[in-house]
Amino acid sequence: MNTRSWIFALRGEWCKLISLRSTWWTLAATLVVAVGMAYLQGWLLRDYTPPPGARPLDPFFPGSLGLVLALPALAGFGIVSTAGEYSARTLSSSLLAVPNRNGFYLAKVVAAAGLSVVTVLVAVPLAHLACQAGLGDDGVRLTSQDALTVLAGSAIFMVSMAVFAIGVGAVARNSAVALGVMLPLLFLSSQGLGNIPAIQDYAQYLPDQGGQVIMRIVPADDPAFAKDYGPWQGLGLTGTWAAALLAAGWWVTRRAEP
């Protein structure tokens, strides 16, 4: 597939995505939930006084919580971007226009990931600004070294999870099935699976858990949020999951029936 043909395929995927109402609804929901919940959580924790002997409030925690709560909407966009054509039975028409499945899949991934990156680059700083506004005098400036690390790490984590969802959609080939598997397993792991003693040590290696370490200041001995790996290792874990699902999605796309 030459460069001109691939650009044609990319433009086609871009036009398909921006013409879908689900694209705008899911990406708008990502922004609204991330910013709104970050402000709400910050406001609820304003003037919070930790009990004696407890650590002081992490000023980045409310913002990171808002971003995590927005992940299902972003994941929904990623899943629909690849699984939607199977559900709508339009894959055969797309393959007639772009018969090279490698180029077709790459164009689909790049278009969906590009929109995810734009959304995340808006959502992350706005969520943390809203969080600090909600905290009031307890908030911190976003120009500090810790803040820049949290912002960069949060953006990388959110994009990695969007790419992971793109791969899940390509593997499942059904939006409802992909959402039904992904949402309970991944986005409830900290509240659900992560609280089951028998699997607690293993749940920390799920993709949504790896990247969350860098989204807040977590001491190594923190019993609630500390993991067996550091913040950047956690991002690497999430990135590895995303790469694995993208590869699996490519394998399925190459062999799937139109």
Side-chain angles (χ1 to χ4, degrees):
M1 189 176 193
N2 58 40
T3 303
R4 185 175 180 179
S5 298
W6 185 79
I7 293 176
F8 168 79
L10 180 60
R11 289 181 61 186
E13 293 302 323
W14 178 266
C15 290
K16 280 189 281 186
L17 282 178
I18 64 175
S19 66
L20 294 173
R21 283 181 293 179
S22 62
T23 296
W24 301 109
W25 278 111
T26 52
L27 296 183
T30 301
L31 290 171
V32 171
V33 173
V35 177
M37 291 305 298
Y39 178 82
L40 177 62
Q41 295 296 324
W43 180 77
L44 290 173
L45 291 171
R46 181 181 291 193
D47 301 325
Y48 168 76
T49 302
R55 291 188 174 90
L57 173 68
D58 176 4
F60 302 108
F61 173 72
S64 68
L65 183 58
L67 292 170
V68 170
L69 292 174
L71 268 179
L74 185 62
F77 163 72
I79 287 172
V80 172
S81 69
T82 46
E85 289 208 69
Y86 293 98
S87 302
R89 301 185 183 278
T90 58
L91 181 64
S92 56
S93 299
S94 296
L95 290 177
L96 284 175
V98 186
N100 186 304
R101 295 199 179 201
N102 292 332
F104 169 74
Y105 181 68
L106 179 61
K108 189 174 287 292
V109 169
V110 170
L115 276 174
S116 300
V117 169
V118 173
T119 304
V120 167
L121 290 180
V122 175
V124 168
L126 286 182
H128 281 287
L129 284 171
C131 163
Q132 306 313 316
L135 286 171
D137 293 338
D138 295 328
V140 296
R141 292 183 178 274
L142 296 188
T143 54
S144 66
Q145 182 176 359
D146 288 335
L148 295 176
T149 300
V150 169
L151 287 172
S154 298
I156 295 171
F157 168 66
M158 295 283 286
V159 171
S160 297
M161 288 304 299
V163 171
F164 178 83
I166 292 169
V168 170
V171 171
R173 296 187 292 167
N174 184 290
S175 301
V177 171
L179 286 168
V181 171
M182 188 173 180
L183 296 184
L185 178 63
L186 299 181
F187 300 118
L188 294 179
S189 58
S190 57
Q191 294 83 9
L193 298 177
N195 293 325
I196 302 175
I199 61 174
Q200 193 172 33
D201 291 340
Y202 304 100
Q204 67 176 319
Y205 295 104
L206 291 173
D208 70 316
Q209 294 296 292
Q212 289 188 37
V213 179
I214 203 170
M215 297 175 74
R216 55 179 76 101
I217 300 173
V218 181
D221 59 344
D222 189 313
F225 298 111
K227 310 293 184 185
D228 291 342
Y229 44 77
W232 293 106
Q233 290 85 352
L235 276 183
L237 174 65
T238 301
T240 300
W241 274 99
L245 263 295
L246 274 188
W250 167 78
W251 187 87
V252 170
T253 301
R254 286 197 51 162
R255 289 160 176 77
E257 291 293 330

